[in-house]
Amino acid sequence: MFSTFTGQSTGKRRNVNLSGNRAHNPWASPATLGSSTTVSKAAAEREKRQREKDRIKAVKCIQRVWRGSQTRRHLRAQDRAAIDDLYQHNQHGPETRSAKALPLLLRSFQKTNQDDRRRLVFVCRDLCDSSFCFFRSGGPERFQLDRLVRELLNTLQEEADLGPQVHIVLTVFLQILDLRPQAIEPVLGQYYKVMANYCNLALSLQPPFMLLNQTVTKPLYLGKLSETFISEAYHAFAFSFLATPDLNVFENNLHAFAADIDLDRLSDRLASEKFETTKLYVSRTRLLWLLAHLVALQQTKQQQTLHASYLRVLCSLLSILSDHIQLAAPAEQGADSNLDATNSAEDVMAQGTLPAYVSEKLGLLTESRAITGLLESSAPYSLGHESASNSELGDASVLAGYVLTLISCFPNAGDEVRMRLFFSNIPTKTGRMPALEYLWQVMKRTTVFRSIVGGSEAALEIFKSAPQSSPQNGENDSWHQQWRTILLFLELYAFVLKLTDDADFFGGLKGDQPGNEKGENDLPRVRSSGLDLESVKRLTLFLKHLGFVLYYNMPELLASWTSARSLKAASRPSMFVVTAGLDLDKVRRMVMAAMRGLYERDSRRPFLPKDHWLMTEKFDMAGFKEAVVVEAERQRALGDAEPEEEENGKKDEEDDEEGLDWRYGTSATHASHRRYLQLMARRKQAAKEHHRATVGPKLEVLKNMPFVIPFDKRVRIFREFINLDKIRRRQGHADPDSWRMWMMSFDPTRNNLAKHQALIRRGRLFKDAQDSLWPLGDGIKEPVQITFQDQWGMQEAGIDGGGVTKEFLTSVISEMLADTDLFVANSQNAYYPNPLILEQRLASARRHGISESEARTELLRQYEFAGRIIGKCMYEGILINVVFAGFFLLKWATADTKQVNLNDLRELDEDLYRGLLFMKNNEDEVDDLGLNFAVDLDISTPQDRQPKIVTRPLCPNGNNIPVTKENRLLYITQVAKYRLNVQPYAQTQAFLRGLKMVIEPGWLSMFNQNELQRLVGGDSGAIDVDDLRRNTEYNGPYQIGDDGEEHETVKLFWEVMKEFGDEERKEVLQYVTSTPRAPLLGFSQLFPRFTISYGGADEERLPSASTCVNLLKLPKYTSKEVLREKLLYAVKSGAGFDLS
């Protein structure tokens, strides 16, 4: 139908000419359109009539509403007058008066009317005085009670302050609960909100305490109430009352309230709650208060047996609030002094701090008595003999889920929680058992463990079969139960490994376990916590197979989980969530922590079969190097490599209490903001890990589980990465001379090339090198041209294809170690950063009036430059004759520089290590030592006449915390942490910044600390003379002729080398190349090649060497004895750098 007739067409408007006249101008006014205006006028009139009808209809509606309002107002006035008349003339008794007044009140009541509230109090008083006799007959008037309850609650919710009459209203509620509890059942949530408001009132406005106590608790225990009512009452009590902030009356009188509260029933009701959906309509702040009040109730009641539902509820709440608790800084004493007293709980949370009460109660969860009491008050756990039963898994899973959640929410208290759990005994039906042993017994019986030990294929299938339910919904699911138990064992075992010295560990491998003795004795406990050799083998197989799947098969797993959950993989990279805060990335870290702990101990002192860690059968090893290189280039193309600026930024974000010393203080808001940035950085990193896993599974295995690939294969990959980096940076000109020629053609002024040249004075090598090469930044990777200047100002001649780079680098490192105090050596002559130098330099700066900031910056620049120089040697394949301490090398190889192992302390300070072992193994003598959680440091220098002792607390208020036999393991951990990580943190981080500017962190992560030492200094094994001979070049008359025969003098040289012992061969090698060790892949990797040059015909002349080019200048000797004598004399006496 055309729009002209209906006015409602949705199509294109058409102009229809029904007059037969000629077409008109469509832009003319309607008055000039001729007969076509008739239809338009008709539509306009029709619309006008419709508007008039609507107006009249609206007027009638308004009049009807007005008349109704007036009528209701009139009726309410009559009812109010009748009520007033009843009470003014006092003609009837309370029973009759209340029976007449109540219907009138319910019809006329308005909660905003002050007089109506007064009348409500009058009626309530009469009802109380008459004991509700009018309603006890069971008549139909009982529905009026339902209406009365709603009106009372609405009124009290609007204005809780009813003055002294409030006790009347509360008494009404108590009598209604006795008479007709069903009247309150539909409004239990509102009922407890009103009760919560009364607990928040000022003291002068509060109702009588006993009355308020009864009103709050009566719906929870009334005998004649149904189970349904009580269940709903506990639900309302939890979410409408306990979740309310600042319940002053309740918090200050917990003992009185707790007497009538059944914590088990409350826990059962909350355990059935789906908190994933609850958090959608209950704010996180209210859930925090619910958690705090729940903990307070449990602490107050101190039940003999702890209900399993209580742990489930704590676990669920902590799961939901995990990020929030970590981001909100706990309120320290005086921390809230700067906050406005009028700030609400939401305001406090927004400022990044937990309310003081919440912080106090949540802190109770990590106290030693809470952990110990948790286990002692638990019901006996089941423990079978063959496979883990459902009850056995259920018992262990509840405990595991709670402890894992606790550690995730309170990472700063993680060590204390682990320590208390380690010392705890689990009550089982066959007796008490150490926690670690119990978890191992349950874990090794699980289907998951037994399957994965058999092969990584089983691990892949197990992960693919992960149930789709969330951890909270699937807490009775066997899959989740098994994984919780396994992960808690790994968490605790990795902690114990750090505290176990070699004697205890290897004693455990041999089955040397004294077992449990009465009382707490560390030596039996630590020793009995060790696994025998067969168990360790099974555990390492489990960890190896599991870790391999979590890295190599991650693309397949992500695709499987994405399909099962209908989620986009990019939106949630970590979908495997076992319990609170334990997503895929944290699970991988836990697995790797336990695996690295065992692997590092095995690499230091082997106890597993040779090649036990290898998984070469999973790869095509013939093309493995090429495949890894392709994956690395693919990652770089996707922007997932780790450039310098990103790595530095990441370090700044991860800088925690070890870098930012808590002693200097930070505001709670700043700390919360910093943790928020760290959380965001971790999530961003998790997304990047997802991309890396997608495009480079082999490379991910190589970076995170390098020990599954043979060492020589990893070295070849390392050198290939460096070669590709040279080609990429130098535009295809990897050779130094070729690059210089290209630079000169590219920049005829040679300004850029001049930046890579330096004049270095003998005796000032390190300072001149830093002044000249510091501006290059990562440009130090390019060839540098060095000219030495001797002590008389003369430039030394040198042969190095344009520079004496090797001699320069090795000389700078030698001076850095010998003539500066940047590094110190231990008893094995292994070097590490001087841990005291920063405090010494700052003290010296203060003494001489120098800016501490400038002194700190200059020192850290020296360390960073030292890292660049070491990195340059590794980049160019130059071996240096230096041994670094293992604990220092470990920080090169792992992104986690905060790992602490008691055995690492042995390299740093043997005496301190032995003292801590004595303390660990002799609990009865700890109190006599008079120690506290602080360390004394002597920061004096050789120039100081008197010692300068400073005290550094190991934790907040550490000076006032004594070391006891109960907390001595925590003290040992804190001391090791301070000495290995906190004290040298700034120096170590500066060095690593410089090192990783040249060598990408991913390349370093392919090696452990022992392998890195071999990469830096060469192979410490015996010198292979035949390999050296095959890879030696000859100059001058010594060149091999067309007949392929060596010169007679050369033959004599190799005969002498064959006759030398290994120590003498190493001395010759050091004399020529400056290092006594062979390259890792043989002498074919030595650059420049080992070269023998003609040294003249004078047999009285000694051999000489140019270490910068690995050149031995050998005179033409004709006698083996003479050659041997001269060579040894030259080697033993040594020589400086210059031409012979």
Side-chain angles (χ1 to χ4, degrees), residues 101-161:
L102 181 59
L104 300 174
L105 177 68
L106 294 179
R107 286 200 305 265
S108 62
F109 185 78
Q110 289 181 310
K111 61 183 179 182
T112 57
N113 189 298
Q114 184 68 32
D115 291 331
D116 280 352
R117 291 200 294 270
R118 176 178 52 81
R119 297 181 185 100
L120 178 63
V121 172
F122 290 159
V123 174
C124 287
R125 181 187 293 111
D126 280 348
L127 288 172
C128 292
D129 292 342
S130 63
S131 301
F132 284 78
C133 292
F134 177 68
F135 298 99
R136 295 187 182 277
S137 61
E141 297 83 0
R142 286 198 171 191
F143 77 91
Q144 295 179 357
L145 285 180
D146 302 352
R147 175 76 183 279
L148 175 63
V149 168
R150 290 196 298 272
E151 296 296 352
L152 281 172
L153 292 177
N154 289 334
T155 301
L156 296 178
Q157 201 163 6
E158 286 290 329
E159 182 178 355
D161 181 15

Side-chain angles (χ1 to χ4, degrees), residues 946-1015:
Q946 295 180 345
K948 293 184 177 180
I949 308 298
V950 295
T951 300
R952 294 289 180 256
L954 299 174
C955 61
N957 198 34
N959 292 323
N960 299 319
I961 302 177
V963 179
T964 64
K965 64 180 182 180
E966 288 79 16
N967 65 12
R968 68 190 183 285
L969 277 191
L970 188 60
Y971 172 78
I972 292 172
T973 303
Q974 294 287 359
V975 170
K977 178 180 178 181
Y978 183 83
R979 293 298 303 274
L980 292 169
N981 289 339
V982 178
Q983 191 179 16
Y985 182 84
Q987 301 92 299
T988 303
Q989 289 301 307
F991 176 88
L992 293 179
R993 241 185 343 263
L995 176 65
K996 294 177 180 181
M997 184 179 290
V998 183
I999 305 296
E1000 291 191 10
W1003 303 348
L1004 294 171
S1005 66
M1006 295 190 297
F1007 307 98
N1008 65 24
Q1009 62 267 43
N1010 296 327
E1011 293 167 345
L1012 279 173
Q1013 180 57 58
R1014 295 172 64 188
L1015 203 63

